[in-house]
Amino acid sequence: MDVSSPEAWDESFGTDKDRVEGYALRGADTVLRWFLPIPLSDPPRSLSWGMAARISNLSLSPQVTWKDIADAWSGAGHSELLTQPMGTVDHRSMDALLSTLAGVVGLEEEVEYAVWEGYADMAVLLAHTSSAPADPSRFLTQGGVRTFTAPLGTLSMFTAEEGRHFPSAVWLRDHHLAIAQPIYNDSCYISGPRDVCETLCADDDIDLIEIDPSLLLPSGVVMD
């Protein structure tokens, strides 16, 4: 795996990490909030935010918070407790994402990854890559970001079932398309061309809604 330039990351993404724009490409046509699957334990499975909202009589909006979902779920009398997503994606959502992206770029195309060293599950991966020694310093305020390039299909390794967090960012630079997230967050942010974003939104297995990048991050556990 080859390295990618930290400076390029700093210059291409927004700098206000309290807002959605901090995880979106500058000048992108469209920015989407991707609600990460809610893990359930008995039996092990995932629930979409959209489904949780519908059966709890809550309207899913771009700014809905995890507390909104959890309170509505509890108020509707559901006995099973919801667990907040913490930066992980299940196989089903990943397969849907890659299926759409493969139609845009192909799974063998080299794309750029940023992963956070603070996730314990990244240690083995990073030990076997020639990841960049310098951080994209402003991409995550926590630091500890390593960058490398690899085929888009490599993204299939980053699922909850594989015991790994979703990358801090995946950047399809030649297509002006990116997926990025804060640390331990319940959402990712997809930024890119409107036609690609509309195609992604058409897939019911990916829980997406368009969001104004100038908004404050609506939900999640964000480490300082």
Side-chain angles (χ1 to χ4, degrees), residues 19-42:
R19 298 184 183 275
V20 173
E21 66 186 35
Y23 302 91
L25 290 170
R26 298 179 184 181
D29 294 340
T30 305
V31 180
L32 304 174
R33 181 181 177 188
W34 177 14
F35 300 98
L36 299 184
I38 300 168
L40 299 175
S41 58
D42 190 19

Side-chain angles (χ1 to χ4, degrees), residues 123-208:
V124 173
L125 174 72
L126 292 170
H128 292 85
T129 69
S130 54
S131 53
D135 291 340
S137 59
R138 293 187 299 273
F139 184 70
L140 287 177
T141 56
Q142 299 87 356
V145 174
R146 309 287 287 190
T147 61
F148 59 87
T149 59
L152 175 62
T154 302
L155 190 56
S156 63
M157 298 167 49
F158 294 89
T159 64
E161 290 89 344
E162 296 289 337
R164 190 170 288 126
H165 284 77
F166 194 85
S168 296
V170 183
W171 184 12
L172 291 72
R173 189 196 298 240
D174 291 343
H175 303 273
H176 197 62
L177 178 68
I179 309 168
Q181 64 168 334
I183 296 303
Y184 291 118
N185 208 261
D186 57 33
S187 302
C188 287
Y189 296 92
I190 301 176
S191 52
R194 177 160 293 277
D195 59 341
V196 177
C197 290
E198 288 178 345
T199 300
L200 286 167
C201 286
D203 193 319
D204 292 337
D205 288 329
I206 315 175
D207 220 6
L208 297 166

Side-chain angles (χ1 to χ4, degrees), residues 48-66:
S48 73
W49 286 56
M51 179 60 73
R54 283 192 295 275
I55 63 179
S56 302
N57 299 312
L58 178 70
S59 177
L60 194 64
S61 71
Q63 293 177 275
V64 71
T65 67
W66 174 254

Side-chain angles (χ1 to χ4, degrees), residues 74-95:
S74 177
H78 302 296
S79 58
E80 187 169 12
L81 295 177
L82 297 184
T83 301
Q84 184 176 12
M86 292 283 187
T88 58
V89 175
D90 63 2
H91 273 317
R92 180 177 178 178
S93 298
M94 181 67 79
D95 289 347

